[in-house]
Amino acid sequence: MSLRQSSFFLRFLTLGALAHLYVGARLIPDGLHHGPSAAAAVLALALSCILIPLGMLARSSARPPWGDRIAWVGLITMGLFSSLFVFTVLRDALLLILWLASLAGLELGWTALRQASAWWVATLALAATIVGFVNARRRARVVTVDVPIAGLPPDLDGFTIVQISDIHVGPTIKQRYVQAIVDAVNQESPDLVAITGDVVDGSVEQLAAQASPLGQLRAPHGVYLVTGNHEYYSGAAPWVAEFRRMGLRVLMNEHALIHPSGLPMIIAGVTDYSAGAFDPHQRSNPAAALAGAPADAWPRILLAHQPRSAAAAEPLGYTLQLSGHTHGGQFFPWGFFVRLQQPYTAGLHRHGRMWIYISRGTGYWGPPKRLGAPSEITRLRLRAAPGPRV
């Protein structure tokens, strides 16, 4: 583990311990008072505080299959505690409002209210974790999105791109999960397939066999992939070589020229927005991705893992950017925080003269949990719209 990673992990442990202390202090005295039940709750929180970081470390430090099994337990615990923490904060906010109301003369059964709300927090956290687990583990549904493009040639009207993103093959996402995604994509018979990064969470040695079904993706105009930040965490160079060995076209600040219906069209791709921090030679560069492109080739589609690449891409004349990275927040309430880093969270948006579509992701990261942000396999259709080309 590098010094940077060690520093991050130490901060994570410290904040995690403080969060567990907060939850315990706010719920146990009100919900259980004292005795064996309270002691069991304290023990459960202490175990959670240990299991979460252990689950994060197990994949790389423990031998299979035990590493994956420990990761499963730790990551499910992380999802459960996340909801427990959030609902505890919301409970405290509600109790504060009710306390202020009581100062104005509102009569409340304060003791009963505190006890009941403590139990409701635990119940809601457990329910959210179970529902979120079911949502995360079932195969992503196919979502169809029409992208209106002014001046699109009639022969390109209906051109179909199927996008998958953020699969995160790793300790809890394996070959069978990936195979189900690939089968669903191929069933759509797309003109082109776009994979917008964060395919893996681990090394080629660990996960090449688990990611191998991606080599079965088929489309007449090609299967294209760009790197996400997690490829760089996992060793980008070996993974790029492995993806190419699978038959995928990896676009690293470059483009491909295709000719659907005999018309020139550009599929460009950039390295992840953060790639320069790992390798200065791989700094994301939407301008370089267009270098040498024929002036008459249009529309121009850009694959870029992070939505914030749009700021540099839009002035260059791209027609549509396809991104992922955000997971749509994955589960409540983290979607509200995505906008602190990214211009968009999910869906189709107009960014200046360019369209941008952000996938909620086809897998999940970390806890096997999705709530309010369903995973997706996106079927994008280019549709002719009235007006001159922009």
Side-chain angles (χ1 to χ4, degrees):
M1 186 181 292
S2 68
L3 182 62
R4 180 180 177 183
Q5 290 173 319
S6 298
S7 176
F8 167 80
F9 199 68
L10 182 61
R11 290 196 298 271
F12 177 84
L13 287 174
T14 303
L15 290 174
L18 291 173
H20 279 79
L21 285 172
Y22 162 71
V23 168
R26 298 303 301 149
L27 296 185
I28 294 174
D30 289 345
L32 297 170
H33 302 297
H34 52 76
S37 297
V42 170
L43 182 61
L45 281 173
L47 192 60
S48 169
C49 200
I50 295 168
L51 284 173
I52 291 172
L54 193 62
M56 295 177 68
L57 289 173
R59 182 187 63 211
S60 57
S61 60
R63 293 182 178 180
W66 288 105
D68 288 346
R69 291 170 182 169
I70 296 170
W72 265 108
V73 174
L75 293 172
I76 290 173
T77 303
M78 180 189 291
L80 174 60
F81 180 75
S82 174
S83 290
L84 192 64
F85 176 81
V86 168
F87 288 138
T88 301
V89 172
L90 293 176
R91 170 184 180 262
D92 278 352
L94 178 61
L95 289 177
L96 176 61
I97 292 170
L98 294 175
W99 177 75
L100 292 173
S102 71
L103 295 181
L106 181 67
E107 293 294 328
L108 295 170
W110 198 249
T111 301
L113 178 64
R114 292 173 69 100
Q115 184 175 24
S117 62
W119 278 102
W120 269 110
V121 162
T123 302
L124 287 172
L126 181 60
T129 302
I130 293 170
V131 172
F133 179 86
V134 172
N135 290 341
R137 291 301 300 173
R138 64 187 175 193
R139 199 212 73 201
R141 64 192 178 100
V142 177
V143 177
T144 298
V145 178
D146 287 340
V147 183
I149 299 176
L152 185 72
D155 286 345
L156 295 182
D157 185 47
F159 185 90
T160 304
I161 302 170
V162 169
Q163 178 193 8
I164 57 177
S165 190
D166 300 271
I167 300 173
H168 290 283
V169 179
T172 66
I173 292 181
K174 300 294 187 181
Q175 187 179 67
R176 187 169 66 173
Y177 192 106
V178 179
Q179 186 69 60
I181 293 169
V182 169
D183 291 344
V185 172
N186 286 340
Q187 190 173 352
E188 293 299 314
S189 300
D191 295 305
L192 182 145
V193 174
I195 306 173
T196 48
D198 278 8
V199 179
V200 292
D201 272 317
S203 68
V204 170
E205 291 75 17
Q206 292 172 316
L207 299 175
Q210 308 304 328
S212 63
L214 293 173
Q216 301 169 25
L217 289 166
R218 296 290 181 265
H221 294 287
V223 180
Y224 300 89
L225 179 148
V226 291
T227 55
N229 51 307
H230 282 253
E231 272 70 61
Y232 289 91
Y233 303 153
S234 304
W239 270 116
V240 167
E242 179 63 15
F243 292 142
R244 286 173 173 160
R245 190 196 65 77
M246 291 180 192
L248 309 178
R249 174 74 184 271
V250 183
L251 297 173
M252 303 182 73
N253 298 325
E254 57 190 320
H255 70 270
L257 188 65
I258 62 174
H259 294 83
S261 301
L263 299 170
M265 179 175 171
I266 290 172
I267 307 298
V270 291
T271 53
D272 180 64
Y273 188 89
S274 65
F278 297 88
D279 182 352
H281 296 99
Q282 292 191 29
R283 188 176 304 276
S284 186
N285 191 335
L290 278 179
D296 64 338
W298 188 84
R300 298 177 173 190
I301 313 297
L302 176 66
L303 312 184
H305 177 62
Q306 298 197 37
R308 54 182 169 171
S309 292
E314 189 273 339
L316 300 171
Y318 285 103
T319 312
L320 168 66
Q321 176 178 313
L322 301 181
S323 297
H325 185 67
T326 68
H327 297 218
Q330 192 162 312
F331 58 90
F332 178 83
W334 308 116
F336 295 108
F337 296 95
V338 172
R339 290 298 297 272
L340 299 177
Q341 188 199 43
Q342 303 292 335
Y344 309 103
T345 303
L348 184 66
H349 301 270
R350 191 74 175 174
H351 188 87
R353 298 170 299 167
M354 181 182 76
W355 287 107
I356 177 171
Y357 185 82
I358 301 94
S359 167
R360 290 183 175 87
T362 314
Y364 56 85
W365 179 80
K369 186 173 184 178
R370 275 193 174 271
L371 208 60
S375 55
E376 64 181 80
I377 295 167
T378 318
R379 180 174 175 258
L380 298 120
R381 294 185 301 191
L382 307 187
R383 304 313 302 254
R389 186 202 306 191
V390 179

